[in-house]
Amino acid sequence: MADTSERPAAKPEELLTLEDLTTRVGMSVRNVRFYTTKGLVPPPIRRGRSGYYTPDHVSRLELVRELQTHGFTLSAIEKYLAAVPEDATPEQIALHRTMLAPWQAEATVEMTTAELVARAGRDLDADALRLLQALRIIRPAEGRRGAWSVTPTQLAVGVGLLELGFPTEAAVAAAEIYSRHGRQVAEELNDLFLTQVWPAYKEAGASAETIREVVERIKPLSIASLVAAYEQAMDETRREQIRARAERGRPDPGKQAPAP
């Protein structure tokens, strides 16, 4: 990574002390120094004996933190950052964070198991929790043991299925189908954005902030489009199955009807 002396000079009001930086990005002094030593962020700007940090340091450390929340190992983070141009602006780096941010159809709420049981209004044993996880209604909360990230509007639906004895294995199998095909859709849409959408905006001279706004606005639209496509496909599949059953139920025209 290039030294900060090769970058545009930061404005005096943008300079941060190490204490300011750690407060801003929510990291310890030890971690900041470690990432600097590993070359994940540039060294501080020296002013006499003091070291100062810029918005560039902030954006890169925030990207490191975002990658960590997604389960990236240190080696994977190093490889990811190696592909980020050394002269990338804080706004451009923030765009990478936008692309990493979760694509969620509904907001979730963190709950302890006790809070989840209270909201569900019934006991939830291991099988019940497994079913709710398979249905994507709950998932283990990141960085908080014994807590769950819950979609409140869907919890009542899940509890209703529990009371109706919905088979857990069927929910698990369905989750695997969603995961497999969801990954394929995500990879293809991501490739479409990188090869057609992003280049078109860059060629038009759009700012990094504009591209970030495009990404944020297209998220709910993409989710709605996937839901609509799924609903249409399910309707068509059901009609085809009904038509096939009807065809099988018709008498063979090659056979004569029995005499009255």
Side-chain angles (χ1 to χ4, degrees):
M1 179 171 289
D3 190 273
T4 50
S5 61
E6 300 177 17
R7 303 170 185 274
K11 299 176 182 178
E13 63 269 20
E14 292 178 334
L15 296 179
L16 303 170
T17 64
L18 180 56
E19 183 180 359
D20 292 334
L21 179 68
T22 55
T23 301
R24 178 85 168 268
V25 300
M27 287 186 181
S28 67
V29 171
R30 180 180 178 182
N31 282 346
V32 170
R33 287 176 173 164
F34 174 74
Y35 294 136
T36 302
T37 302
K38 297 293 291 184
L40 300 183
V41 294
I45 296 174
R46 289 294 170 184
R47 295 287 187 270
R49 293 186 176 183
S50 301
Y52 293 92
Y53 299 84
T54 69
D56 182 56
H57 294 90
V58 173
S59 61
R60 288 180 182 272
L61 285 171
E62 287 177 339
L63 179 55
V64 168
R65 187 180 58 194
E66 187 74 38
L67 290 166
Q68 286 178 322
T69 62
H70 287 272
F72 281 58
T73 63
L74 178 61
S75 176
I77 291 174
E78 290 176 332
K79 290 179 181 179
Y80 187 98
L81 291 180
V84 177
E86 293 182 352
D87 60 352
T89 65
E91 291 76 17
Q92 291 169 333
I93 295 173
L95 177 58
H96 284 268
R97 290 181 54 219
T98 301
M99 294 295 291
L100 288 166
W103 288 48
Q104 296 177 330
E106 295 184 56
T108 58
V109 176
E110 282 197 7
M111 299 182 188
T112 64
T113 300
E115 291 170 337
L116 178 60
V117 168
R119 180 71 69 92
R122 54 161 290 165
D123 290 335
L124 298 173
D125 58 17
D127 285 339
L129 292 173
R130 185 165 175 248
L131 174 64
L132 294 178
Q133 287 186 77
L135 294 171
R136 311 284 176 116
I137 295 172
I138 67 172
R139 66 175 185 273
E142 294 181 358
R144 190 180 171 196
R145 190 171 182 179
W148 303 92
S149 181
V150 185
T151 306
T153 58
Q154 297 297 322
L155 183 57
V157 177
V159 171
L161 289 173
L162 281 171
E163 294 173 348
L164 291 172
F166 191 85
T168 300
E169 294 307 320
V172 172
E176 292 175 354
I177 294 173
Y178 298 147
S179 178
R180 182 170 65 253
H181 292 286
R183 184 175 183 84
Q184 180 181 350
V185 170
E187 289 175 350
E188 293 183 12
L189 286 177
N190 188 62
D191 184 63
L192 175 67
F193 183 87
L194 293 176
T195 59
Q196 297 188 39
V197 179
W198 195 335
Y201 276 95
K202 290 183 68 176
E203 185 177 348
S207 66
E209 183 60 35
T210 297
I211 302 176
R212 286 180 61 193
E213 187 174 350
V214 169
V215 174
E216 290 297 341
R217 291 193 179 192
I218 204 172
K219 285 181 180 181
L221 180 60
S222 296
I223 293 171
S225 297
L226 286 171
V227 171
Y230 171 77
E231 291 174 341
Q232 181 178 353
M234 287 294 285
D235 287 342
E236 291 175 353
T237 299
R238 186 170 63 252
R239 285 196 295 268
E240 289 172 0
Q241 290 176 341
I242 293 174
R243 188 181 304 113
R245 287 198 297 270
E247 291 290 340
R248 288 196 299 270
R250 289 179 180 176
D252 188 338
K255 293 182 179 180
Q256 292 184 347

